[in-house]
Amino acid sequence: MPGLFGTVSLRSDHTAWDGERVPAGASGTVVEILKDGEAYVVDIAKPFDTVATVRATELDVVVDHG
């Protein structure tokens, strides 16, 4: 799974912290790793700026900067 500041994309739709629905394929940067990699806080950049907590199984790694 991705390291800190790695780039990821969502495998499925997800609800962001602000309640916005983030579509599958959205991409962002890992800004925090939770529970030894079980979940990640992702700063979503595309299609719009938001933040979401996403389980590792719901992410694809695009670029691993860890």
Side-chain angles (χ1 to χ4, degrees):
M1 288 316 301
L4 195 58
F5 305 118
T7 304
V8 295
S9 65
L10 302 182
R11 291 184 180 173
S12 59
D13 292 354
H14 203 77
T15 302
W17 289 1
D18 60 7
E20 288 283 338
R21 196 73 178 156
V22 183
S27 63
T29 303
V30 172
V31 294
E32 189 173 350
I33 300 171
L34 306 172
K35 293 188 177 183
D36 294 324
E38 288 182 28
Y40 296 82
V41 176
V42 180
D43 182 4
I44 304 292
K46 295 180 183 177
F48 50 86
D49 292 328
T50 193
V51 177
T53 302
V54 185
R55 292 181 188 168
T57 57
E58 298 174 357
L59 292 174
D60 286 318
V61 177
V62 177
V63 177
D64 185 6
H65 295 291

